[in-house]
Structures are given as structure tokens and as C-alpha cells.
Amino acid sequence: MVPSVQYSLDVIKNEVGDLVCEGRVDRHQPIYCLCGCFPAREWSYIECELERHGYLLRDHIGDLLSQETWGDD
């Protein structure tokens, strides 16, 4: 079965960024907490894509987000 949406790493990162901004997940939670935010039938494809790029389900969600830069206060 092919997922209805192709989840490239960039798509996953964008979706996760939106979830963090919406407050649905916290950047300090493990990646496996994201499984409740995606359709169950597509989670295995997302998991495989993350693992293919070296992410473990126990890594923090923040590891998927771009590095934030802070200016001088």
C-alpha cells in the first residue's frame, strides 16, 4: 500500500514544525510521540523515512527542527 501523501524528510520536518508552533507537541518529546499526529496507516512510511536519515524514535522532536538563531538581546 502506498501512502496518500509522499513523506519526504523535508515534508516531515515542515509538518513537525507546524505541530510544534500549534502546541500539539513539544520539541522535547521523543519523536515516537508524533505517531498520534499522523494517519496510522501512514506512520510506518514516516518512520522508515526518518530512520533512513538517521533519526531514532527516541530522539527529541527538536532534532527535526531547523537550528534556531538568536540575535543579541
Side-chain angles (χ1 to χ4, degrees):
M1 185 171 161
V2 177
S4 59
V5 176
Q6 294 295 323
Y7 287 102
S8 68
L9 186 59
D10 287 336
V11 169
I12 295 168
K13 287 180 174 185
N14 287 336
E15 291 284 333
V16 170
D18 290 345
L19 292 169
V20 170
C21 286
E22 293 169 7
R24 293 182 57 199
V25 295
D26 184 87
R27 63 186 310 112
H28 300 291
Q29 289 179 283
I31 289 173
Y32 69 78
C33 290
L34 294 170
C35 69
C37 300
F38 292 92
R41 66 185 173 280
E42 296 180 359
W43 175 249
S44 63
Y45 298 104
I46 295 168
E47 184 179 350
C48 288
E49 183 69 9
L50 291 172
E51 289 176 353
R52 194 167 73 86
H53 289 281
Y55 292 99
L56 302 174
L57 296 181
R58 67 176 179 253
D59 292 342
H60 291 125
I61 290 172
D63 294 344
L64 293 171
L65 304 176
S66 300
Q67 293 293 333
E68 297 175 338
T69 56
W70 299 92
D72 292 340
D73 289 284

